[in-house]
Amino acid sequence: MKGLLAATALMAGLASPAAAQGYLDRAPSDELIYFLLPDRFENGDHANDRGGIKGGRLEHGFDPTAKGFFLGGDLKGLTSRLDYIQGMGATAIWLGPIYRNKPVQGPKGEESAGYHGYWITDFTTVDPHFGTEADLKAFIAAAHARGMKVYLDIITNHTADVIQYRECPDTACSYRSRADYPFTRRGGPNGVPINERFLGDAAEHQTVENYTRLTDPRWAYTPYLPKGEEKVKVPGWLNDPIYYNNRGDSSFKGESSILGDFVGLDDVMTAHPRVVRGMVDIYGSWIDRFKVDGFRIDTARHVNPEFWQAFVSAMLERARANGIPNFHIFGEVLDPDAGSLARFTHVDRFPAVLDFAFQSAVEKVVAEGGPPSGLTRLFYMDPLYAGVEGAPQQLPTFLGNHDIGRFSTFVRKANPDASDAEQLARVKLAHSMLLLLRGVPTIYSGDEQGFVGDGHDQDAREPLFPSQVAVYNDNRL
């Protein structure tokens, strides 16, 4: 019934005044989410396109002709288009990260910009490319006045790439494990003793007393802050390399999945009690100041469970203290296996996770023409999820996104010789399943316009406003 009501709302239009007054009382399972990256939705203020930064595109990051740079979307533009979003029946907006980012990073000749919001330097304020804190408050107030909720996309796993390692100045640093490079030796088991009496980062040792003994970050590499970037991160404690794992790039296998740098981004030591307290303070402040209704948590699987056990409960408590009883928290765990996803609701204690198992099942059945038994197995696994009865109803379901690509792209690639009519029929069928089956339907911005990207990541991040990017403009809807 919930799915049917959502589908009806999608066609019916604006919410009623009663719904606007009672949005706080709606359970997370009763929402229909619209997800967008603010840079790619609507440009409402051209004065902030360069974020107040002088210089060229490699300084300020704005280049409306390049898919990997800021294109100009902002919070004022988003606020001006709330009629459009609500007119589809969406009741909640998942807003891509809006925190101050490192404008541009990457090796020479391979630079791109932080338009997506996942390269944070200042965790406490809005990136000037998107506007101001006042603009964010105005957007949230306007959404709430319509009975719509706002979910912020947050990151605790990493920051922008600021910390460098002296051992590999011109190449990526490979991961160095705890066994080969213990915390208590500098540069390997035969190195100079450091961090005397530090007992390691196992769960039972994640205490303030133990981490006071961790003072030298040179266990695997020699981390340093480049000149001019010594104080670029906010809050200030994030500038100290001791609060990072400093073990080189993750291979996304074994312990490196938690302790390695995410494609060069500075991997925060989330086992450290100071980091736990700091992240609770950071994101608790966003609840206090802006009265947001939930968090989508990026790279959740790359953070240790003990951190989430503390952080999730603290955020739910903070929300209740702010009069937000149905605060929705869902983690990003990129795994198509329902059992693996469910683990994060038990061990890490997430109330919900993005339902990659749903996405994978629908892609195999509808886009690739696989047997419907894939969907049968998906729902057969629902009892694995922890929480209240009917917990899977809180899982945000989706068909594609800004990382893996659009569902329409999957359909076209799997059926290259099919007619446009057949491809559209498959896309419509998938969206009917999204709206009518269990979970919280989540629409990725642009899908409702028939966007068909060239692939994943940057190739799936087309703007809704007129584009100057050639590889976007040649797409056939």
Side-chain angles (χ1 to χ4, degrees):
M1 178 61 75
K2 178 188 72 68
L4 180 59
L5 291 175
T8 303
L10 192 64
M11 296 180 289
L14 303 180
S16 66
Q21 294 171 5
Y23 75 93
L24 287 170
D25 296 327
R26 288 201 311 267
S29 57
D30 290 334
E31 308 299 342
L32 193 156
I33 302 172
Y34 186 79
F35 164 54
L36 60 91
L37 295 175
D39 179 65
R40 303 299 162 102
F41 190 69
E42 178 66 287
N43 192 339
D45 184 359
H46 290 281
N48 60 31
D49 287 353
R50 292 168 175 77
I53 301 170
K54 296 180 180 180
R57 74 175 201 148
L58 295 184
E59 285 72 43
H60 52 64
F62 176 69
D63 182 349
T65 70
K67 66 181 180 179
F69 283 74
F70 285 97
L71 301 186
D74 51 38
L75 290 164
K76 285 184 178 178
L78 171 56
T79 305
S80 73
R81 293 291 189 176
L82 282 174
D83 276 349
Y84 171 80
I85 298 173
Q86 193 173 37
M88 288 185 290
T91 63
I93 296 173
W94 157 14
L95 184 63
I98 42 77
Y99 321 99
R100 186 188 295 269
N101 264 229
K102 192 171 187 177
V104 177
Q105 64 180 41
K108 186 175 181 180
E110 301 177 23
E111 300 92 346
S112 61
Y115 69 92
H116 42 68
Y118 295 104
W119 298 342
I120 306 175
T121 53
D122 187 342
F123 285 74
T124 68
T125 196
V126 173
D127 191 291
H129 290 87
F130 302 142
T132 65
E133 291 186 13
D135 293 335
L136 179 61
K137 287 184 177 180
F139 159 65
I140 293 173
H144 284 171
R146 295 165 173 265
M148 303 177 73
K149 296 181 180 180
V150 176
Y151 302 149
L152 293 186
D153 202 322
I154 72 169
I155 305 98
T156 69
N157 174 66
H158 57 262
T159 73
D161 182 15
V162 176
I163 296 174
Q164 304 298 310
Y165 304 128
R166 298 200 182 279
E167 289 80 0
C168 34
D170 301 316
T171 60
C173 296
S174 59
Y175 183 77
R176 291 182 170 178
S177 70
R178 289 175 293 189
D180 294 331
Y181 293 85
F183 288 106
T184 52
R185 294 281 179 172
R186 183 185 301 170
N190 299 319
V192 175
I194 57 175
N195 303 319
E196 183 181 1
R197 295 187 302 117
F198 180 67
L199 301 175
D201 60 357
E204 64 269 24
H205 299 315
Q206 292 173 18
T207 65
V208 173
E209 179 184 8
N210 185 42
Y211 275 83
T212 58
R213 303 167 186 148
L214 190 70
T215 58
D216 190 332
R218 294 175 292 175
W219 45 80
Y221 287 103
T222 308
Y224 71 97
L225 300 173
K227 187 176 180 180
E229 295 189 288
E230 297 91 343
K231 297 182 179 180
V232 71
K233 295 180 185 178
V234 180
W237 61 267
L238 282 164
N239 293 298
D240 191 337
I242 200 65
Y243 298 123
Y244 298 82
N245 286 308
N246 301 316
R247 292 189 173 275
D249 279 5
S250 174
S251 65
F252 301 105
K253 298 178 181 177
E255 69 173 52
S256 82
S257 183
I258 300 254
L259 303 179
D261 293 342
F262 192 95
V263 196
L265 299 170
D266 299 349
D267 193 69
V268 181
M269 184 182 283
T270 47
H272 199 302
R274 176 66 182 91
V275 172
V276 177
R277 186 172 76 252
M279 288 296 178
V280 166
D281 289 344
I282 287 169
Y283 290 113
S285 174
W286 286 93
I287 299 174
D288 293 342
R289 290 182 291 149
F290 296 95
K291 303 299 186 288
V292 295
D293 305 285
F295 290 151
R296 178 267 192 183
I297 299 181
D298 182 66
T299 51
R301 72 180 308 161
H302 302 299
V303 174
N304 57 300
E306 299 81 19
F307 175 90
W308 294 130
Q309 292 163 13
F311 182 85
V312 169
S313 62
M315 293 302 97
L316 293 174
E317 182 179 345
R318 195 70 156 259
R320 285 191 292 268
N322 277 276
I324 309 169
N326 290 299
F327 196 82
H328 196 19
I329 294 179
F330 50 102
E332 180 211 24
V333 180
L334 207 168
D335 196 312
D337 180 72
S340 296
L341 294 176
R343 176 196 177 278
F344 286 83
T345 66
H346 287 273
V347 179
D348 301 65
R349 299 177 192 167
F350 275 99
V353 290
L354 279 167
D355 198 345
F356 277 90
F358 178 95
Q359 188 283 327
S360 177
V362 176
E363 180 182 345
K364 285 180 169 59
V365 173
V366 180
E368 300 174 8
S373 57
L375 290 167
T376 303
R377 185 179 187 279
L378 171 74
F379 299 126
Y380 181 78
M381 302 289 276
D382 275 358
L384 294 178
Y385 291 95
V388 298
E389 185 177 357
Q393 295 289 357
Q394 296 189 61
L395 304 181
T397 51
F398 67 102
L399 300 174
N401 63 23
H402 60 316
D403 289 329
I404 66 173
R406 296 185 183 276
F407 187 82
S408 54
T409 305
F410 306 149
V411 168
R412 184 161 287 172
K413 288 186 175 181
N415 306 276
D417 298 324
S419 66
D420 283 356
E422 179 186 334
Q423 292 178 6
L424 180 58
R426 290 179 185 270
V427 172
K428 283 185 174 182
L429 173 59
H431 279 84
S432 297
M433 296 167 75
L434 176 69
L435 291 167
L436 295 169
L437 298 177
R438 72 103 175 94
V440 184
T442 303
I443 306 292
Y444 175 39
S445 177
D447 282 357
E448 77 280 4
Q449 293 288 346
F451 283 13
V452 185
D454 293 324
H456 68 290
D457 196 73
Q458 293 178 6
D459 286 328
R461 299 176 180 180
E462 308 91 337
L464 268 73
F465 53 91
S467 176
Q468 299 178 47
V469 179
V471 294
Y472 291 161
N473 289 339
D474 67 3
N475 290 350
R476 185 164 57 91
L477 303 186

